[in-house]
Amino acid sequence: MANVFIITFLVLFIGDALSVFQFGDLTSKLSKIAYLGAYLLLIFVLLGKLKRVKFEGLVTVYLIIVLLLNSYFLYTLYGVAKSNFIDNTNLIIYICHGITLIALTYFSFAVYLSRETAQSITFLLLVFCFVFSDVLHYICSMYVYFWGFEVFENVLHTAGLFLLYKYVYDHHTNRHSDRRINLTEYFVPTTEKLRQIPVNLS
């Protein structure tokens, strides 16, 4: 698993470097392919956790809703931007990229809904950062450019890298726990006597 994480960071670094120092359409394509490879490695990380996931009850309903919403959103974005593709290579990369993002979101949701640990929440948040960052990138490059979208895209991508580093650090230093998070533990406990005390707000 350590080798997988190292390769993931390396591929993301290559993608970022090619994205910043663009020398033409080829480097742009290679950058997108590098990001695609990094997302596939993240899916590989999730596959090891899916063996313990039980698809039952509301979890199945939530996952179906997430899959349908992501598929519809990708199809809508494709319908808006399909006329802006330069060649078939960019189109194929876009389709593969979209399918990979849907799979990554779906699997991360599945792990989170079945386990609800701090690590699963961190992974889900980093996936959201990468997904929305890529969506904003496609909107700016193929539909309408707005500098605010580009800034927010970079912020989300940086946040995703930070969360990925935190996830890997916690994983290898055993700073995480597999215990489910119980939100009621973060509230002040009360008793029946406390509830009956009158409160004058005037």
Side-chain angles (χ1 to χ4, degrees):
M1 191 61 67
N3 293 331
V4 173
F5 287 134
I6 292 174
I7 296 174
T8 301
F9 279 115
L10 178 61
V11 174
L12 285 172
F13 174 77
I14 294 174
D16 290 337
L18 292 173
S19 178
V20 173
F21 304 102
Q22 289 193 5
F23 301 102
D25 186 54
L26 178 60
T27 56
S28 178
K29 293 177 182 178
L30 292 176
S31 175
K32 292 181 176 63
I33 292 174
Y35 290 140
L36 180 61
Y39 299 154
L40 289 173
L41 289 171
L42 292 178
I43 291 176
F44 176 78
V45 173
L46 288 172
L47 290 178
K49 301 180 181 297
L50 283 175
K51 297 177 181 178
R52 291 171 284 181
V53 174
K54 295 181 179 180
F55 298 95
E56 57 185 12
L58 288 176
V59 174
T60 304
V61 177
Y62 287 145
L63 292 177
I64 292 175
I65 293 174
V66 169
L67 180 62
L68 292 177
L69 287 177
N70 280 297
S71 301
Y72 175 76
F73 183 73
L74 178 66
Y75 179 77
T76 303
L77 186 61
Y78 168 75
V80 171
K82 64 181 180 180
S83 59
N84 296 325
F85 286 108
I86 302 175
D87 51 32
N88 291 330
T89 304
N90 280 320
L91 178 61
I92 293 173
I93 293 175
Y94 171 82
I95 293 175
C96 293
H97 207 162
I99 293 174
T100 304
L101 289 177
I102 289 177
L104 186 59
T105 306
Y106 181 81
F107 291 147
S108 60
F109 249 113
V111 173
Y112 166 69
L113 291 175
S114 63
R115 307 184 72 182
E116 296 182 2
T117 62
Q119 280 291 84
S120 65
I121 293 175
T122 301
F123 202 99
L124 183 62
L125 289 176
L126 74 88
V127 168
F128 277 159
C129 288
F130 285 140
V131 168
F132 285 110
S133 174
D134 287 351
V135 169
L136 287 174
H137 173 75
Y138 278 113
I139 290 176
C140 287
S141 60
M142 293 189 299
Y143 183 52
V144 58
Y145 176 79
F146 178 56
W147 67 268
F149 288 167
E150 187 175 21
V151 171
F152 194 44
E153 170 201 341
N154 294 328
V155 170
L156 287 175
H157 185 75
T158 304
L161 292 174
F162 172 77
L163 290 171
L164 179 59
Y165 170 79
K166 182 181 184 305
Y167 179 87
V168 175
Y169 179 79
D170 291 343
H171 177 80
H172 286 285
T173 57
N174 294 321
R175 290 179 177 267
H176 65 280
S177 173
D178 289 331
R179 185 174 64 88
R180 284 175 175 266
I181 293 179
N182 186 3
L183 294 178
T184 59
E185 297 178 358
Y186 297 92
F187 295 97
V188 178
T190 185
T191 62
E192 188 62 31
K193 290 184 179 181
L194 289 176
R195 294 193 186 96
Q196 294 176 358
I197 296 176
V199 179
N200 187 3
L201 298 177
S202 60

PDB file of all heavy atoms in Angstrom, residues 169-195:
ATOM      1  N   TYR A 169      -0.757   9.909   5.895  1.00  0.00           N
ATOM      2  CA  TYR A 169      -0.010  10.064   7.147  1.00  0.00           C
ATOM      3  C   TYR A 169      -0.711   9.333   8.290  1.00  0.00           C
ATOM      4  O   TYR A 169      -0.072   8.596   9.058  1.00  0.00           O
ATOM      5  CB  TYR A 169       0.136  11.542   7.467  1.00  0.00           C
ATOM      6  CG  TYR A 169       0.880  11.811   8.765  1.00  0.00           C
ATOM      7  CD1 TYR A 169       2.266  11.747   8.814  1.00  0.00           C
ATOM      8  CD2 TYR A 169       0.183  12.132   9.932  1.00  0.00           C
ATOM      9  CE1 TYR A 169       2.953  11.991   9.999  1.00  0.00           C
ATOM     10  CE2 TYR A 169       0.854  12.377  11.113  1.00  0.00           C
ATOM     11  CZ  TYR A 169       2.237  12.302  11.145  1.00  0.00           C
ATOM     12  OH  TYR A 169       2.900  12.531  12.320  1.00  0.00           O
ATOM     13  N   ASP A 170      -2.021   9.527   8.405  1.00  0.00           N
ATOM     14  CA  ASP A 170      -2.776   8.842   9.471  1.00  0.00           C
ATOM     15  C   ASP A 170      -2.760   7.332   9.274  1.00  0.00           C
ATOM     16  O   ASP A 170      -2.724   6.567  10.244  1.00  0.00           O
ATOM     17  CB  ASP A 170      -4.223   9.353   9.507  1.00  0.00           C
ATOM     18  CG  ASP A 170      -4.314  10.788   9.981  1.00  0.00           C
ATOM     19  OD1 ASP A 170      -3.342  11.271  10.581  1.00  0.00           O
ATOM     20  OD2 ASP A 170      -5.358  11.421   9.746  1.00  0.00           O
ATOM     21  N   HIS A 171      -2.784   6.913   8.013  1.00  0.00           N
ATOM     22  CA  HIS A 171      -2.790   5.477   7.720  1.00  0.00           C
ATOM     23  C   HIS A 171      -1.489   4.811   8.150  1.00  0.00           C
ATOM     24  O   HIS A 171      -1.497   3.714   8.729  1.00  0.00           O
ATOM     25  CB  HIS A 171      -3.030   5.262   6.224  1.00  0.00           C
ATOM     26  CG  HIS A 171      -2.992   3.822   5.801  1.00  0.00           C
ATOM     27  ND1 HIS A 171      -4.062   2.977   5.973  1.00  0.00           N
ATOM     28  CD2 HIS A 171      -2.010   3.081   5.230  1.00  0.00           C
ATOM     29  CE1 HIS A 171      -3.741   1.771   5.518  1.00  0.00           C
ATOM     30  NE2 HIS A 171      -2.507   1.813   5.067  1.00  0.00           N
ATOM     31  N   HIS A 172      -0.373   5.463   7.898  1.00  0.00           N
ATOM     32  CA  HIS A 172       0.926   4.838   8.166  1.00  0.00           C
ATOM     33  C   HIS A 172       1.435   5.088   9.583  1.00  0.00           C
ATOM     34  O   HIS A 172       2.367   4.417  10.022  1.00  0.00           O
ATOM     35  CB  HIS A 172       1.961   5.328   7.152  1.00  0.00           C
ATOM     36  CG  HIS A 172       1.783   4.724   5.798  1.00  0.00           C
ATOM     37  ND1 HIS A 172       2.142   3.423   5.507  1.00  0.00           N
ATOM     38  CD2 HIS A 172       1.257   5.225   4.659  1.00  0.00           C
ATOM     39  CE1 HIS A 172       1.858   3.163   4.239  1.00  0.00           C
ATOM     40  NE2 HIS A 172       1.322   4.237   3.705  1.00  0.00           N
ATOM     41  N   THR A 173       0.842   6.045  10.283  1.00  0.00           N
ATOM     42  CA  THR A 173       1.245   6.278  11.675  1.00  0.00           C
ATOM     43  C   THR A 173       0.217   5.728  12.657  1.00  0.00           C
ATOM     44  O   THR A 173       0.364   5.917  13.862  1.00  0.00           O
ATOM     45  CB  THR A 173       1.441   7.778  11.934  1.00  0.00           C
ATOM     46  OG1 THR A 173       0.232   8.485  11.606  1.00  0.00           O
ATOM     47  CG2 THR A 173       2.594   8.323  11.111  1.00  0.00           C
ATOM     48  N   ASN A 174      -0.806   5.054  12.097  1.00  0.00           N
ATOM     49  CA  ASN A 174      -1.865   4.458  12.933  1.00  0.00           C
ATOM     50  C   ASN A 174      -2.504   5.493  13.856  1.00  0.00           C
ATOM     51  O   ASN A 174      -2.841   5.200  15.008  1.00  0.00           O
ATOM     52  CB  ASN A 174      -1.302   3.303  13.770  1.00  0.00           C
ATOM     53  CG  ASN A 174      -0.863   2.143  12.916  1.00  0.00           C
ATOM     54  OD1 ASN A 174      -1.518   1.813  11.924  1.00  0.00           O
ATOM     55  ND2 ASN A 174       0.252   1.532  13.257  1.00  0.00           N
ATOM     56  N   ARG A 175      -2.673   6.716  13.341  1.00  0.00           N
ATOM     57  CA  ARG A 175      -3.322   7.758  14.116  1.00  0.00           C
ATOM     58  C   ARG A 175      -4.833   7.753  13.941  1.00  0.00           C
ATOM     59  O   ARG A 175      -5.521   8.624  14.456  1.00  0.00           O
ATOM     60  CB  ARG A 175      -2.774   9.141  13.719  1.00  0.00           C
ATOM     61  CG  ARG A 175      -1.340   9.368  14.167  1.00  0.00           C
ATOM     62  CD  ARG A 175      -0.844  10.725  13.721  1.00  0.00           C
ATOM     63  NE  ARG A 175       0.501  10.987  14.211  1.00  0.00           N
ATOM     64  CZ  ARG A 175       0.770  11.624  15.345  1.00  0.00           C
ATOM     65  NH1 ARG A 175      -0.225  12.046  16.099  1.00  0.00           N
ATOM     66  NH2 ARG A 175       2.010  11.827  15.720  1.00  0.00           N
ATOM     67  N   HIS A 176      -5.332   6.800  13.187  1.00  0.00           N
ATOM     68  CA  HIS A 176      -6.768   6.723  12.959  1.00  0.00           C
ATOM     69  C   HIS A 176      -7.350   5.557  13.738  1.00  0.00           C
ATOM     70  O   HIS A 176      -6.642   4.680  14.219  1.00  0.00           O
ATOM     71  CB  HIS A 176      -7.068   6.550  11.465  1.00  0.00           C
ATOM     72  CG  HIS A 176      -6.577   5.247  10.910  1.00  0.00           C
ATOM     73  ND1 HIS A 176      -5.247   5.043  10.565  1.00  0.00           N
ATOM     74  CD2 HIS A 176      -7.212   4.078  10.666  1.00  0.00           C
ATOM     75  CE1 HIS A 176      -5.094   3.811  10.116  1.00  0.00           C
ATOM     76  NE2 HIS A 176      -6.272   3.204  10.169  1.00  0.00           N
ATOM     77  N   SER A 177      -8.655   5.554  13.845  1.00  0.00           N
ATOM     78  CA  SER A 177      -9.367   4.483  14.531  1.00  0.00           C
ATOM     79  C   SER A 177     -10.484   3.992  13.634  1.00  0.00           C
ATOM     80  O   SER A 177     -11.099   4.768  12.891  1.00  0.00           O
ATOM     81  CB  SER A 177      -9.947   4.989  15.867  1.00  0.00           C
ATOM     82  OG  SER A 177     -10.774   3.997  16.447  1.00  0.00           O
ATOM     83  N   ASP A 178     -10.729   2.687  13.684  1.00  0.00           N
ATOM     84  CA  ASP A 178     -11.815   2.112  12.893  1.00  0.00           C
ATOM     85  C   ASP A 178     -13.157   2.195  13.607  1.00  0.00           C
ATOM     86  O   ASP A 178     -14.156   1.679  13.108  1.00  0.00           O
ATOM     87  CB  ASP A 178     -11.507   0.639  12.570  1.00  0.00           C
ATOM     88  CG  ASP A 178     -10.371   0.526  11.559  1.00  0.00           C
ATOM     89  OD1 ASP A 178     -10.215   1.454  10.746  1.00  0.00           O
ATOM     90  OD2 ASP A 178      -9.640  -0.476  11.593  1.00  0.00           O
ATOM     91  N   ARG A 179     -13.171   2.850  14.763  1.00  0.00           N
ATOM     92  CA  ARG A 179     -14.427   2.982  15.500  1.00  0.00           C
ATOM     93  C   ARG A 179     -15.330   3.979  14.791  1.00  0.00           C
ATOM     94  O   ARG A 179     -14.898   5.033  14.336  1.00  0.00           O
ATOM     95  CB  ARG A 179     -14.144   3.481  16.924  1.00  0.00           C
ATOM     96  CG  ARG A 179     -15.371   3.531  17.818  1.00  0.00           C
ATOM     97  CD  ARG A 179     -14.961   3.890  19.242  1.00  0.00           C
ATOM     98  NE  ARG A 179     -14.392   5.228  19.277  1.00  0.00           N
ATOM     99  CZ  ARG A 179     -15.113   6.340  19.442  1.00  0.00           C
ATOM    100  NH1 ARG A 179     -16.434   6.275  19.544  1.00  0.00           N
ATOM    101  NH2 ARG A 179     -14.516   7.524  19.477  1.00  0.00           N
ATOM    102  N   ARG A 180     -16.607   3.637  14.703  1.00  0.00           N
ATOM    103  CA  ARG A 180     -17.562   4.532  14.063  1.00  0.00           C
ATOM    104  C   ARG A 180     -17.689   5.832  14.850  1.00  0.00           C
ATOM    105  O   ARG A 180     -17.608   5.847  16.077  1.00  0.00           O
ATOM    106  CB  ARG A 180     -18.951   3.876  13.970  1.00  0.00           C
ATOM    107  CG  ARG A 180     -19.051   2.823  12.867  1.00  0.00           C
ATOM    108  CD  ARG A 180     -20.405   2.152  12.931  1.00  0.00           C
ATOM    109  NE  ARG A 180     -20.580   1.226  11.843  1.00  0.00           N
ATOM    110  CZ  ARG A 180     -21.169   1.528  10.687  1.00  0.00           C
ATOM    111  NH1 ARG A 180     -21.638   2.752  10.509  1.00  0.00           N
ATOM    112  NH2 ARG A 180     -21.301   0.642   9.726  1.00  0.00           N
ATOM    113  N   ILE A 181     -17.906   6.919  14.129  1.00  0.00           N
ATOM    114  CA  ILE A 181     -18.066   8.212  14.769  1.00  0.00           C
ATOM    115  C   ILE A 181     -19.508   8.363  15.224  1.00  0.00           C
ATOM    116  O   ILE A 181     -20.449   8.201  14.439  1.00  0.00           O
ATOM    117  CB  ILE A 181     -17.698   9.341  13.787  1.00  0.00           C
ATOM    118  CG1 ILE A 181     -16.207   9.289  13.485  1.00  0.00           C
ATOM    119  CG2 ILE A 181     -18.070  10.695  14.361  1.00  0.00           C
ATOM    120  CD1 ILE A 181     -15.756  10.340  12.501  1.00  0.00           C
ATOM    121  N   ASN A 182     -19.679   8.673  16.504  1.00  0.00           N
ATOM    122  CA  ASN A 182     -21.006   8.902  17.079  1.00  0.00           C
ATOM    123  C   ASN A 182     -21.140  10.389  17.376  1.00  0.00           C
ATOM    124  O   ASN A 182     -20.508  10.912  18.292  1.00  0.00           O
ATOM    125  CB  ASN A 182     -21.196   8.076  18.356  1.00  0.00           C
ATOM    126  CG  ASN A 182     -22.608   8.173  18.892  1.00  0.00           C
ATOM    127  OD1 ASN A 182     -23.466   8.815  18.277  1.00  0.00           O
ATOM    128  ND2 ASN A 182     -22.859   7.548  20.023  1.00  0.00           N
ATOM    129  N   LEU A 183     -21.953  11.081  16.571  1.00  0.00           N
ATOM    130  CA  LEU A 183     -22.061  12.532  16.707  1.00  0.00           C
ATOM    131  C   LEU A 183     -22.643  12.965  18.045  1.00  0.00           C
ATOM    132  O   LEU A 183     -22.407  14.075  18.501  1.00  0.00           O
ATOM    133  CB  LEU A 183     -22.923  13.099  15.565  1.00  0.00           C
ATOM    134  CG  LEU A 183     -22.338  12.961  14.165  1.00  0.00           C
ATOM    135  CD1 LEU A 183     -23.303  13.522  13.138  1.00  0.00           C
ATOM    136  CD2 LEU A 183     -20.999  13.652  14.055  1.00  0.00           C
ATOM    137  N   THR A 184     -23.397  12.083  18.713  1.00  0.00           N
ATOM    138  CA  THR A 184     -23.990  12.460  19.995  1.00  0.00           C
ATOM    139  C   THR A 184     -22.930  12.661  21.068  1.00  0.00           C
ATOM    140  O   THR A 184     -23.179  13.327  22.073  1.00  0.00           O
ATOM    141  CB  THR A 184     -24.982  11.376  20.460  1.00  0.00           C
ATOM    142  OG1 THR A 184     -24.284  10.119  20.578  1.00  0.00           O
ATOM    143  CG2 THR A 184     -26.114  11.228  19.463  1.00  0.00           C
ATOM    144  N   GLU A 185     -21.751  12.130  20.862  1.00  0.00           N
ATOM    145  CA  GLU A 185     -20.681  12.306  21.839  1.00  0.00           C
ATOM    146  C   GLU A 185     -20.169  13.734  21.885  1.00  0.00           C
ATOM    147  O   GLU A 185     -19.531  14.139  22.854  1.00  0.00           O
ATOM    148  CB  GLU A 185     -19.517  11.358  21.528  1.00  0.00           C
ATOM    149  CG  GLU A 185     -19.878   9.879  21.629  1.00  0.00           C
ATOM    150  CD  GLU A 185     -18.706   8.993  21.255  1.00  0.00           C
ATOM    151  OE1 GLU A 185     -17.648   9.568  20.887  1.00  0.00           O
ATOM    152  OE2 GLU A 185     -18.841   7.769  21.335  1.00  0.00           O
ATOM    153  N   TYR A 186     -20.456  14.515  20.833  1.00  0.00           N
ATOM    154  CA  TYR A 186     -19.946  15.871  20.770  1.00  0.00           C
ATOM    155  C   TYR A 186     -20.930  16.893  21.338  1.00  0.00           C
ATOM    156  O   TYR A 186     -20.668  18.085  21.315  1.00  0.00           O
ATOM    157  CB  TYR A 186     -19.607  16.242  19.319  1.00  0.00           C
ATOM    158  CG  TYR A 186     -18.514  15.377  18.753  1.00  0.00           C
ATOM    159  CD1 TYR A 186     -18.804  14.198  18.061  1.00  0.00           C
ATOM    160  CD2 TYR A 186     -17.182  15.720  18.931  1.00  0.00           C
ATOM    161  CE1 TYR A 186     -17.794  13.399  17.556  1.00  0.00           C
ATOM    162  CE2 TYR A 186     -16.167  14.922  18.421  1.00  0.00           C
ATOM    163  CZ  TYR A 186     -16.484  13.775  17.736  1.00  0.00           C
ATOM    164  OH  TYR A 186     -15.489  12.978  17.222  1.00  0.00           O
ATOM    165  N   PHE A 187     -22.094  16.436  21.826  1.00  0.00           N
ATOM    166  CA  PHE A 187     -23.071  17.324  22.418  1.00  0.00           C
ATOM    167  C   PHE A 187     -23.040  17.195  23.931  1.00  0.00           C
ATOM    168  O   PHE A 187     -22.648  16.167  24.479  1.00  0.00           O
ATOM    169  CB  PHE A 187     -24.481  17.005  21.889  1.00  0.00           C
ATOM    170  CG  PHE A 187     -24.624  17.262  20.410  1.00  0.00           C
ATOM    171  CD1 PHE A 187     -24.485  16.222  19.502  1.00  0.00           C
ATOM    172  CD2 PHE A 187     -24.866  18.525  19.925  1.00  0.00           C
ATOM    173  CE1 PHE A 187     -24.609  16.447  18.145  1.00  0.00           C
ATOM    174  CE2 PHE A 187     -24.980  18.767  18.569  1.00  0.00           C
ATOM    175  CZ  PHE A 187     -24.860  17.722  17.685  1.00  0.00           C
ATOM    176  N   VAL A 188     -23.498  18.263  24.620  1.00  0.00           N
ATOM    177  CA  VAL A 188     -23.517  18.263  26.078  1.00  0.00           C
ATOM    178  C   VAL A 188     -24.652  17.355  26.556  1.00  0.00           C
ATOM    179  O   VAL A 188     -25.803  17.527  26.151  1.00  0.00           O
ATOM    180  CB  VAL A 188     -23.735  19.691  26.622  1.00  0.00           C
ATOM    181  CG1 VAL A 188     -23.810  19.677  28.146  1.00  0.00           C
ATOM    182  CG2 VAL A 188     -22.630  20.605  26.139  1.00  0.00           C
ATOM    183  N   PRO A 189     -24.353  16.360  27.391  1.00  0.00           N
ATOM    184  CA  PRO A 189     -25.420  15.476  27.883  1.00  0.00           C
ATOM    185  C   PRO A 189     -26.375  16.218  28.791  1.00  0.00           C
ATOM    186  O   PRO A 189     -26.011  17.177  29.470  1.00  0.00           O
ATOM    187  CB  PRO A 189     -24.635  14.395  28.649  1.00  0.00           C
ATOM    188  CG  PRO A 189     -23.357  15.067  29.042  1.00  0.00           C
ATOM    189  CD  PRO A 189     -23.037  16.023  27.930  1.00  0.00           C
ATOM    190  N   THR A 190     -27.625  15.794  28.816  1.00  0.00           N
ATOM    191  CA  THR A 190     -28.637  16.434  29.641  1.00  0.00           C
ATOM    192  C   THR A 190     -29.436  15.377  30.388  1.00  0.00           C
ATOM    193  O   THR A 190     -29.334  14.186  30.114  1.00  0.00           O
ATOM    194  CB  THR A 190     -29.568  17.305  28.778  1.00  0.00           C
ATOM    195  OG1 THR A 190     -30.461  18.008  29.639  1.00  0.00           O
ATOM    196  CG2 THR A 190     -30.378  16.434  27.816  1.00  0.00           C
ATOM    197  N   THR A 191     -30.228  15.839  31.348  1.00  0.00           N
ATOM    198  CA  THR A 191     -31.071  14.952  32.145  1.00  0.00           C
ATOM    199  C   THR A 191     -32.482  15.499  32.153  1.00  0.00           C
ATOM    200  O   THR A 191     -32.750  16.634  31.713  1.00  0.00           O
ATOM    201  CB  THR A 191     -30.550  14.838  33.584  1.00  0.00           C
ATOM    202  OG1 THR A 191     -30.585  16.148  34.194  1.00  0.00           O
ATOM    203  CG2 THR A 191     -29.117  14.317  33.612  1.00  0.00           C
ATOM    204  N   GLU A 192     -33.397  14.730  32.691  1.00  0.00           N
ATOM    205  CA  GLU A 192     -34.789  15.151  32.758  1.00  0.00           C
ATOM    206  C   GLU A 192     -34.967  16.363  33.667  1.00  0.00           C
ATOM    207  O   GLU A 192     -35.768  17.263  33.396  1.00  0.00           O
ATOM    208  CB  GLU A 192     -35.658  13.989  33.259  1.00  0.00           C
ATOM    209  CG  GLU A 192     -37.150  14.262  33.178  1.00  0.00           C
ATOM    210  CD  GLU A 192     -37.606  14.489  31.745  1.00  0.00           C
ATOM    211  OE1 GLU A 192     -36.999  13.905  30.828  1.00  0.00           O
ATOM    212  OE2 GLU A 192     -38.565  15.273  31.548  1.00  0.00           O
ATOM    213  N   LYS A 193     -34.185  16.438  34.758  1.00  0.00           N
ATOM    214  CA  LYS A 193     -34.263  17.579  35.671  1.00  0.00           C
ATOM    215  C   LYS A 193     -33.804  18.858  34.992  1.00  0.00           C
ATOM    216  O   LYS A 193     -34.388  19.938  35.186  1.00  0.00           O
ATOM    217  CB  LYS A 193     -33.418  17.321  36.918  1.00  0.00           C
ATOM    218  CG  LYS A 193     -33.995  16.245  37.845  1.00  0.00           C
ATOM    219  CD  LYS A 193     -33.147  16.117  39.093  1.00  0.00           C
ATOM    220  CE  LYS A 193     -33.737  15.070  40.043  1.00  0.00           C
ATOM    221  NZ  LYS A 193     -32.927  14.932  41.288  1.00  0.00           N
ATOM    222  N   LEU A 194     -32.762  18.741  34.172  1.00  0.00           N
ATOM    223  CA  LEU A 194     -32.278  19.919  33.448  1.00  0.00           C
ATOM    224  C   LEU A 194     -33.301  20.404  32.430  1.00  0.00           C
ATOM    225  O   LEU A 194     -33.446  21.613  32.210  1.00  0.00           O
ATOM    226  CB  LEU A 194     -30.948  19.596  32.753  1.00  0.00           C
ATOM    227  CG  LEU A 194     -29.728  19.430  33.658  1.00  0.00           C
ATOM    228  CD1 LEU A 194     -28.515  19.018  32.834  1.00  0.00           C
ATOM    229  CD2 LEU A 194     -29.434  20.726  34.412  1.00  0.00           C
ATOM    230  N   ARG A 195     -34.017  19.474  31.823  1.00  0.00           N
ATOM    231  CA  ARG A 195     -35.032  19.871  30.839  1.00  0.00           C
ATOM    232  C   ARG A 195     -36.172  20.621  31.485  1.00  0.00           C
ATOM    233  O   ARG A 195     -36.841  21.454  30.858  1.00  0.00           O
ATOM    234  CB  ARG A 195     -35.559  18.629  30.106  1.00  0.00           C
ATOM    235  CG  ARG A 195     -34.548  17.921  29.220  1.00  0.00           C
ATOM    236  CD  ARG A 195     -35.248  16.928  28.330  1.00  0.00           C
ATOM    237  NE  ARG A 195     -34.302  16.116  27.560  1.00  0.00           N
ATOM    238  CZ  ARG A 195     -33.878  14.911  27.915  1.00  0.00           C
ATOM    239  NH1 ARG A 195     -34.319  14.352  29.044  1.00  0.00           N
ATOM    240  NH2 ARG A 195     -33.013  14.243  27.177  1.00  0.00           N
TER     241      ARG A 195
END
